[in-house]
């Protein structure tokens, strides 16, 4: 099929290279997607910087990275029957084996043999990407094509907000979101859409805190100026937040999250700490009968249906979170912007 442009990690140094490589061909059970847009996430920044995590995680170089993607199905491989060329799709990036005990009990998103698109396989910062057919989600009407490229990270926020009980504990209750990067910003809007009584957005970055206000937060808390635990307790008559959505991975913030959590409340942990975290389990978890829930990825595919409903009906508008758009040839500027702290979601367009 000729060649395509692809952003490749080619050596153990910071940065990447835009190269012309052959267009891949889909194998059995796979589809070839012509990429409309692919967004940058924290994992991509780690790979671009080639930090310690990337050095220990990436199986080999060179590789095309990137995984948050939407585009059109160009061709399908053998034994693909549920999706046809021309369909506009987004990609579930957790590639599950389908045969381990977690997959066979309906928990494929935490598959024992999990592989990640753009980490363990060739990725989406390219004009075309091959994806398992089982992992594509037909976007359908009512969702902006640019928004479809961030359905994957938006799904992280949906999974964190809904939890395992369907999000009923958000309804009419106070909710605290700690860390207002893109997924935190999405979470603010989801909590508001699900009927939270009062949404606290806790974020030290002025620009992101302001964005949280635009996404529907009732109280904006700068943890460098105010004690967020004191604010939440004061504004909830001492009860605390029924749901805490922890998106920062900051050890101190996680500890504060358990302290502001209401008795019997739920704390969803999605942010990744870079070291072990010390918590007061006695007073802040055990005696509270708190529910601490680890969150990774999206439930396949319940979360995708929830995501589609929230976006296609307009209950959540993620337009303010997509702050920057670049053609793929401007990848250096795109990555610097994504890492600057002055952006939320940055997306790139290979066809621009």
């Amino acid at each position: 099929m000729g060649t395509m442009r692809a952003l490749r990690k080619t050596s153990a140094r910071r940065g990447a290279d835009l190269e012309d490589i052959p267009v891949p061909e889909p194998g059995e059970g796979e589809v070839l997607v012509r990429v409309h847009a692919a967004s940058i996430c924290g994992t991509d920044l780690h790979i671009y910087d080639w930090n310690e995590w990337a050095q220990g995680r990436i199986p080999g170089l060179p590789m095309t990275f990137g995984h948050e993607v939407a585009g059109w199905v160009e061709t399908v491989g053998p034994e693909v029957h549920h999706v046809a060329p021309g369909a506009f799709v987004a990609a579930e990036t957790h590639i599950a084996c389908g045969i381990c005990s977690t997959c066979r009990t309906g928990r494929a998103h935490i598959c024992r043999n999990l592989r990640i698109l753009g980490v363990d396989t060739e990725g989406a910062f390219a004009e075309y990407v091959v994806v398992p057919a089982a992992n594509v989600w037909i976007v359908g009407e009512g969702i902006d094509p640019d928004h479809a490229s961030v359905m994957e990270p938006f799904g992280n926020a949906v999974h964190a907000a809904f939890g395992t009980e369907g999000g009923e504990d958000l309804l009419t209750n106070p909710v605290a979101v700690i860390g207002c990067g893109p997924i935190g910003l999405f979470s603010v809007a989801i909590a508001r859409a699900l009927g939270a009584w009062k949404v606290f957005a806790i974020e030290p970055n002025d620009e992101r805190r302001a964005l949280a206000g635009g996404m529907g937060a009732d109280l904006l808390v700068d943890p460098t100026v105010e004690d967020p635990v004191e604010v939440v307790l004061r504004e909830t008559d001492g009860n605390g937040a029924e749901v805490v959505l922890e998106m920062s991975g900051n050890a101190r913030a996680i500890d504060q999250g358990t302290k502001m959590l209401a008795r019997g409340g739920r704390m969803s942990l999605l942010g990744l700490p870079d070291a072990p975290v010390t918590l007061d389990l006695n007073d802040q978890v055990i005696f509270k009968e708190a529910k601490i829930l680890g969150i990774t990825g999206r439930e396949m595919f319940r979360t995708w249906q929830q995501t589609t409903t929230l976006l296609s009906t307009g209950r959540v508008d993620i337009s303010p979170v997509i702050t920057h758009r670049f053609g793929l040839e401007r990848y250096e500027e795109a990555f610097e912007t994504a890492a600057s702290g002055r952006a939320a979601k940055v997306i790139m367009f290979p066809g621009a």
Side-chain angles (χ1 to χ4, degrees):
M1 290 185 63
T3 62
M4 68 175 186
R5 296 187 306 164
L7 188 61
R8 308 270 285 170
K9 188 70 182 179
T10 58
S11 63
R13 58 172 178 80
R14 186 177 188 276
D17 296 293
L18 192 59
E19 298 185 334
D20 288 326
I21 63 172
V23 175
E25 294 187 8
E28 183 173 319
E30 296 179 329
V31 300
L32 179 68
V33 175
R34 176 165 54 89
V35 176
H36 165 66
S39 63
I40 299 173
C41 91
T43 297
D44 303 317
L45 290 172
H46 294 328
I47 296 172
Y48 189 83
D49 290 338
W50 202 241
N51 66 7
E52 185 177 351
W53 175 87
Q55 293 171 36
R57 179 64 179 82
I58 302 302
L61 300 179
M63 66 166 291
T64 303
F65 59 121
H67 57 278
E68 300 176 356
V69 60
W72 294 270
V73 174
E74 186 79 4
T75 59
V76 303
E79 301 303 320
V80 175
H81 307 291
H82 72 286
V83 63
F88 190 73
V89 299
E92 165 56 55
T93 60
H94 283 192
I95 303 172
C97 72
I99 59 174
C100 70
S101 60
T102 49
C103 283
R104 290 187 169 183
T105 52
R107 299 171 293 171
H109 66 297
I110 50 172
C111 168
R112 284 182 57 189
N113 305 305
L114 191 69
R115 295 183 300 143
I116 306 295
L117 181 73
V119 175
D120 299 296
T121 71
E122 292 291 288
F125 290 149
E127 292 180 283
Y128 295 90
V129 61
V130 166
V131 182
N135 285 61
V136 298
W137 179 266
I138 297 175
V139 173
E141 297 181 359
I143 298 178
D144 184 285
D146 291 3
H147 296 182
S149 71
V150 299
M151 286 181 75
E152 192 255 29
F154 182 78
N156 286 338
V158 171
H159 184 25
F162 276 83
T164 56
E165 303 299 326
E168 292 182 3
D169 50 2
L170 279 78
L171 184 64
T172 74
N173 283 319
V175 176
V177 177
I178 304 176
C180 293
I183 297 178
L185 292 169
F186 293 148
S187 298
V188 167
I190 294 164
R192 171 59 60 225
L194 294 182
W197 166 59
K198 188 175 289 186
V199 180
F200 300 86
I202 302 165
E203 167 60 49
N205 182 293
D206 293 341
E207 295 181 14
R208 289 181 172 177
R209 199 168 57 252
L211 277 173
M215 297 301 287
D218 298 289
L219 286 95
L220 307 177
V221 183
D222 181 349
T224 67
V225 176
E226 300 178 277
D227 182 339
V229 177
E230 291 181 359
V231 173
V232 171
L233 293 177
R234 182 183 69 236
E235 296 293 331
T236 58
D237 295 325
N239 293 317
E242 186 67 24
V243 177
V244 174
L245 305 177
E246 208 302 304
M247 306 297 177
S248 73
N250 178 276
R252 185 182 181 198
I254 294 170
D255 180 55
Q256 290 173 331
T258 66
K259 291 176 179 176
M260 69 179 66
L261 184 65
R263 293 178 178 274
R266 165 173 62 97
M267 184 170 176
S268 287
L269 298 168
L270 187 139
L272 299 178
D274 57 9
V277 176
T278 300
L279 299 176
D280 180 356
L281 291 178
N282 290 343
D283 287 340
Q284 305 307 330
V285 178
I286 296 170
F287 293 151
K288 282 185 174 180
E289 286 202 353
K291 297 178 283 289
I292 307 297
L293 179 62
I295 296 293
T296 185
R298 298 138 302 280
E299 289 187 302
M300 298 159 61
F301 282 87
R302 184 179 78 149
T303 301
W304 281 87
Q305 186 58 63
Q306 294 163 335
T307 294
T308 297
T309 298
L310 290 170
L311 294 179
S312 65
T313 60
R315 285 180 170 86
V316 175
D317 178 15
I318 61 173
S319 299
V321 182
I322 302 175
T323 55
H324 295 79
R325 293 168 168 83
F326 296 95
L328 186 61
E329 72 282 354
R330 296 172 62 192
Y331 69 89
E332 292 177 312
E333 187 179 355
F335 273 84
E336 294 303 324
T337 300
S340 69
R342 299 186 302 274
K345 209 62 188 166
V346 176
I347 57 178
M348 296 193 295
F349 297 87

